[in-house]
Amino acid sequence: MDTSRIQQLIEHGLAALRLAEPPGLAAALAQYVILLEKWNGAYNLTAVRVPEEMVTRHVLDSLVVLPFLDDTPVLDVGTGAGLPGLVLALARPEQQFVLLDASGKKTRFIEHAIDRLGLKNVRVVRARVQDHADTEGFGVVVSRAFASVGDFIRAAGHQLKPGGRLLAMKGALPENELAALPDGWRLGSVHRLTVPGLRAERHLLEFCREEAPK
């Protein structure tokens, strides 16, 4: 694999996104792609096999949600190979991230990547989201291709602090799913996202609890 080529692609993507970035981010993200490609051959972590496609479809596709985070701890539900949580943690080294997945092979990969990348702001939890409980809760809970909107809200809604937001990363706008939200929840905002180099539709949906009538 041409590591310099991967890093160059990432640098171009970061420039297109116009994100404030910590020093060395492109190099760290390139190392993550290299690790993912290496482990993918044995553990089948992602259907994307080509490293250059991993840059667009995984790394840049994760980074587009960065402007919609606040500075509170973030829970990434069904993180898989660390998407978007590990990528976001590299971009926000001062922010805390918890990456949750029920798959042992995926959490082992994430732990290995955290060690190799020297990350200090990430905690990995192997569990089903329905079974996990954090005493303080989270201001933001994010998912990427985890489940339907309704299933995501039902499974992860209890993880939020009061006033917190659920962020669902989607492709095309799921109109049918939005028409059947669980009771007590509402759609706060819809953001159409543009991922450099990707023609497919991308949307970010923000959900929050409905306010109780006064």
Side-chain angles (χ1 to χ4, degrees), residues 97-131:
F97 292 82
V98 176
L99 277 54
L100 185 149
D101 203 282
S103 168
K105 67 180 182 180
K106 292 175 181 177
T107 54
R108 283 192 296 273
F109 166 72
I110 298 168
E111 288 167 347
H112 175 74
I114 288 170
D115 180 64
R116 290 291 299 273
L117 295 167
L119 284 166
K120 305 297 183 185
N121 60 330
V122 181
R123 179 163 59 94
V124 182
V125 176
R126 181 185 174 187
R128 297 193 321 147
V129 62
Q130 297 92 332
D131 301 329

Side-chain angles (χ1 to χ4, degrees), residues 15-32:
L17 289 172
R18 299 180 181 179
L19 297 174
E21 58 190 81
L25 177 60
L29 290 169
Q31 188 177 358
Y32 167 75

Side-chain angles (χ1 to χ4, degrees), residues 2-21:
D2 187 345
T3 306
S4 62
R5 168 65 175 161
I6 298 302
Q7 183 169 335
Q8 185 180 55
L9 289 173
I10 292 171
E11 288 171 349
H12 288 164
L14 290 174
L17 289 172
R18 299 180 181 179
L19 297 174
E21 58 190 81

